[in-house]
Amino acid sequence: MKFRVVEKGNPGNPSAPKKKYANAVNAGKLGIKDFAKEIAGRSSLTRGDIENVLNNFIDELPTFLKLGLSVKLGEFGTLRLSPISEGVDADKEFTAANIKGVKVIFTPGIELKESLRDIRFEEEK
């Protein structure tokens, strides 16, 4: 995986000196059709079958997340929603209006984490 070094400030302390951090270099995008084609090469299913399953999964996932369910995808990991809200001083002051949105939290499974341990990094020149 390629990376480049970038300078970033501390959002919690804007006056603090900036530091250097690794930033991943995007090597491109892989679409559902491409992903399905790769999986089909390792399966008895066709690219169209796999693409259909992936599209149906994407269509149905929000339904389950909106119900407050965590969606466990085997050894791949788990998806869940987390609210984004403004802080208040007292419990009585908090209402649903303080919630400004949601973010999707992905927690990778142990097998996925372990399969990424041997990743090699290379600085982009």
Side-chain angles (χ1 to χ4, degrees):
M1 173 180 214
K2 293 191 180 217
F3 72 94
R4 68 173 58 109
V5 178
V6 297
E7 187 175 73
K8 295 182 183 180
N10 180 344
N13 183 3
S15 62
K18 294 182 178 183
K19 294 186 177 184
K20 309 291 184 183
Y21 296 91
N23 197 33
V25 174
N26 187 328
K29 293 185 180 178
L30 183 71
I32 285 182
K33 288 181 189 242
D34 302 314
F35 197 53
K37 183 178 178 183
E38 291 295 320
I39 294 170
R42 303 174 63 165
S43 167
S44 63
L45 300 173
T46 68
R47 182 188 56 82
D49 292 335
I50 294 165
E51 197 173 329
N52 187 307
V53 169
L54 291 172
N55 283 322
N56 284 319
F57 169 76
I58 291 166
D59 289 345
E60 291 300 319
L61 181 61
T63 302
F64 300 120
L65 293 174
K66 287 177 186 178
L67 292 171
L69 296 169
S70 292
V71 179
K72 183 163 175 47
L73 303 169
E75 297 304 315
F76 178 62
T78 303
L79 294 160
R80 65 183 172 86
L81 293 181
S82 178
I84 301 168
S85 62
E86 294 177 339
V88 296
D89 293 325
D91 289 353
K92 291 187 254 179
E93 295 175 24
F94 196 92
T95 68
N98 294 94
I99 300 172
K100 301 302 175 192
V102 294
K103 58 185 170 181
V104 178
I105 306 292
F106 173 69
T107 305
I110 293 168
E111 195 173 299
L112 176 59
K113 281 191 225 177
E114 287 177 0
S115 70
L116 296 173
R117 285 191 182 169
D118 63 349
I119 192 167
R120 297 179 196 266
F121 294 98
E122 175 185 330
E123 187 171 2
E124 183 181 64
K125 303 284 179 190

